[in-house]
Amino acid sequence: MKKLLMKRWLGLPALMASLLVIAGCSLAPTYEKPDVNAPAAYKETPSLSQSEAGTWKTAQPSEEMLRGEWWTIFDDAALNDLERQAQEANQNLKAAAARVKEARAINQTARAGLFPTLDAGFGPTREKLSPASQFQPPDANIPAQTLWRAQASVSYEVDLFGRVSNSVQAANADTQQSEALFRSVQLALQADVAQNYFNLRELDAEADVFTRTVSLREEALKLVQRRFAEGDISELDVARAKSELATARSDAMTVQRLRAASEHSLAVLLGKTPAQFNMASNPLKPVTVRVPPGLPSSLLERRPDIAAAERSMAAANARIGVAKAAFFPSLTLTGSGGFESATLGDLFNWSSRTFLLGPFAGTMLNLPIFDGGRRKGNLANARAVYEEDVANYRQQVLVAFREVEDNLSDLRILETQTLTQADAVNASVRAAQLSRTQYTEGAVNYLDVIDAERTVLQSQRAAVQLAGTQAVSTVNLIRALGGGWGDAMPAPVPEPSLAKN
């Protein structure tokens, strides 16, 4: 019997040594970003030349790259000031910053598992020991006693099979995901401010069109009333002229209402109440900035939402290792040392020293045997979460490519459409001038004049709206590309003619 016990005790060091050798070994699958089949070039950009094709490189994470103040390419001091205000006071951005702090705090908690815990205590305890624990006969009377203790205790979980290290890796990835999501919120805020600003200026331009239209229709009504007073026309033309004037005034009020709502939305983005924000009227001028889209591979590096999806995938991969480690033994080393005595005066005497090595409760080495399938379910869940994150990542990449292509095609078509609409404006203005001249001479009736003036108004509004759409699409392309990208080359674009008719 003694030989058998001796063999078992001699085998324990070998077992402990084996466990310490495998400490830190990770059971997580080797992490690799899934292939997303990124194209060599965008559909809306010309084919790459041989030299340009040589610049292709595998996408590397660069979500921490400084995006810069990309909105300054519009060379608009008012927009620059609005962006600054939004960065300082927007509440959604502050909430995103708080979420980053939360993730970093959780990460710090996870990293604490890599280090031992150390505690200290001081105080008296009242205890009564059993005779058996003191190697006394069962009927021995061991009196209760008060003991004073001043002790420090230490506990450390050996990182067997990578449970602790994988938990830390998952927490690191979660923190990086939170930081990428913050940058995504920041980019969205910057783009929303620019879009709202250009929408507001577009409405100012529309209001300017209606101001000139109302003025012209007031002049037309005076002309019709004079001719009616002279008996040249019937009262029907007067009624039609009044109707057109009232309609133009009503449409102008609609634009004013839309402008007020747009101004209120911009105020909220700046962290202000609508009552605290007013913006002077400033009609929109065509945006001439042309944004280089770069290579599709750079999109995977630059988009913060793609970076966030990739980091979520990395965290899920690490948690598979945590779930696998639960199937294997865990090893916790504990110990305590200090002073213990029956009186406070003798507590810190050298003869009062004491120590304890080994677990305080339970066993040092725990081996799971049966749990009703809990660990198996946790592992299946971890793998399913990873598969979901992979699908989400690939979908996010597809959406990013679509958004870039959408805005590239919008800007390409808008460039031609703007020129075509400028021709339509000029032609409608000329037609209105001719119809008014012919009406004065009695060659046409007033319905022809009304139709011509309506066409002028419609074509001018369409030109203004196209200019607004072009500005917003430029902002959307920058947003789809992930923010700042380098130098943007301005290209002169003829301004649509908004000449008075």
Side-chain angles (χ1 to χ4, degrees):
M1 185 65 179
K2 290 183 178 180
K3 291 183 179 181
L4 179 59
L5 290 174
M6 184 64 66
K7 288 181 180 180
R8 289 182 177 179
W9 279 106
L10 291 176
L12 283 176
L15 175 61
M16 297 294 294
S18 300
L19 291 175
L20 292 174
V21 167
I22 63 175
C25 295
S26 175
L27 297 178
T30 301
Y31 176 67
E32 294 180 358
K33 287 194 295 185
D35 183 22
V36 293
N37 297 321
Y42 293 111
K43 181 180 180 180
E44 289 292 330
T45 57
S47 300
L48 293 174
S49 65
Q50 186 65 33
S51 60
E52 290 173 326
T55 63
W56 174 268
K57 63 185 181 65
T58 303
Q60 300 294 331
S62 60
E63 60 272 17
E64 295 181 359
M65 180 180 61
L66 182 63
R67 296 304 195 270
E69 297 179 347
W70 55 262
W71 55 88
T72 57
I73 65 171
F74 295 108
D75 194 23
D76 191 319
L79 176 59
N80 296 344
D81 183 60
L82 293 175
E83 292 286 359
R84 179 190 58 78
Q85 294 181 49
Q87 294 291 326
E88 294 174 354
N90 182 266
Q91 298 304 308
N92 287 335
L93 190 61
K94 290 185 177 181
R99 288 193 291 271
V100 172
K101 293 180 181 179
E102 294 171 12
R104 289 174 177 172
I106 295 174
N107 188 12
Q108 182 179 359
T109 302
R111 289 182 60 83
L114 296 173
F115 305 95
T117 59
L118 180 64
D119 300 302
F122 171 80
T125 59
R126 182 72 173 172
E127 65 178 22
K128 177 177 174 59
L129 300 177
S130 67
S133 66
Q134 302 301 309
F135 303 99
Q136 297 294 322
D139 57 350
N141 181 24
I142 299 178
Q145 58 182 337
T146 299
L147 292 178
W148 287 85
R149 290 187 177 91
Q151 294 181 334
S153 62
V154 62
S155 177
Y156 177 67
E157 179 182 354
V158 180
D159 189 18
L160 296 181
F161 308 102
R163 190 197 73 81
V164 178
S165 59
N166 282 325
S167 297
V168 173
Q169 289 179 14
N172 288 338
D174 286 338
T175 301
Q176 293 165 352
Q177 179 193 14
S178 181
E179 292 170 350
L181 289 174
F182 169 79
R183 287 187 290 274
S184 183
V185 172
Q186 187 178 48
L187 176 59
L189 170 64
Q190 295 166 351
D192 287 344
V193 169
Q195 289 172 356
N196 275 265
Y197 173 72
F198 286 128
N199 284 332
L200 194 63
R201 293 189 58 187
E202 175 195 329
L203 291 169
D204 287 339
E206 285 195 57
D208 185 59
V209 169
F210 275 110
T211 298
R212 289 185 280 109
T213 299
V214 168
S215 177
L216 289 170
R217 290 187 179 177
E218 287 174 346
E219 293 177 4
L221 176 59
K222 292 177 182 178
L223 172 64
V224 171
Q225 287 175 333
R226 185 172 62 251
R227 293 194 64 190
F228 172 70
E230 294 173 353
D232 294 337
I233 58 174
S234 67
E235 187 180 357
L236 179 60
D237 286 354
V238 177
R240 286 171 174 167
K242 289 182 177 180
S243 174
E244 290 301 306
L245 175 58
T247 300
R249 286 173 173 169
S250 176
D251 290 341
M253 294 176 187
T254 298
V255 172
Q256 293 173 2
R257 177 169 51 83
L258 294 175
R259 187 193 189 281
S262 180
E263 190 177 63
H264 300 164
S265 298
L266 186 55
V268 173
L269 290 174
L270 303 181
K272 300 179 180 179
T273 64
Q276 296 172 318
F277 178 73
N278 288 291
M279 191 166 181
S281 177
N282 184 15
L284 176 67
K285 295 180 180 179
V287 171
T288 60
V289 173
R290 292 295 174 267
V291 180
L295 293 171
S297 63
S298 65
L299 185 66
L300 305 184
E301 302 173 0
R302 304 180 52 77
R303 289 264 301 220
D305 55 343
I306 292 179
E310 187 274 330
R311 290 291 83 197
S312 176
M313 189 168 51
N317 184 81
R319 289 192 174 96
I320 293 177
V322 176
K324 284 184 177 180
F327 287 86
F328 296 89
S330 62
L331 177 63
T332 302
L333 304 178
T334 59
S336 67
F339 298 91
E340 179 181 271
S341 70
T343 62
L344 182 60
D346 297 331
L347 179 60
F348 293 103
N349 292 338
W350 182 246
S351 59
S352 300
R353 67 188 184 279
T354 181
F355 71 89
L356 174 65
L357 296 178
F360 299 120
T363 58
M364 181 185 303
L365 182 65
N366 292 315
L367 177 64
I369 297 177
F370 177 75
D371 62 1
R374 179 182 293 109
R375 286 166 294 141
K376 185 177 181 180
N378 289 338
L379 178 58
N381 176 73
R383 285 173 171 162
V385 170
Y386 174 75
E387 293 172 1
E388 178 186 2
D389 287 342
V390 169
N392 289 336
Y393 171 75
R394 286 176 168 156
Q395 181 65 22
Q396 193 66 44
V397 171
L398 292 175
V399 170
F401 284 137
R402 188 211 70 199
E403 290 175 351
V404 173
E405 297 283 9
D406 285 349
N407 289 286
L408 286 174
S409 63
D410 283 348
L411 290 172
R412 174 179 58 82
I413 297 170
L414 282 167
E415 186 172 356
T416 304
Q417 189 178 5
T418 300
L419 297 175
T420 303
Q421 188 61 37
D423 294 337
V425 170
N426 293 330
S428 65
V429 169
R430 179 57 180 164
Q433 291 172 344
L434 292 173
S435 65
R436 281 198 301 272
T437 300
Q438 293 175 358
Y439 175 72
T440 303
E441 296 173 352
V444 297
N445 59 40
Y446 195 65
L447 283 177
D448 294 326
V449 177
I450 291 175
D451 288 341
E453 290 181 345
R454 285 176 179 173
T455 302
V456 171
L457 177 59
Q458 292 171 357
S459 61
Q460 288 181 337
R461 288 192 69 186
V464 169
Q465 291 168 355
L466 284 175
T469 302
Q470 190 174 40
V472 170
S473 294
T474 302
V475 174
N476 281 336
L477 177 58
I478 296 173
R479 179 177 183 174
L481 292 172
W485 63 94
D487 295 331
M489 301 301 296
V493 177
E495 181 175 351
S497 175
L498 299 179
K500 295 183 180 181
N501 53 0

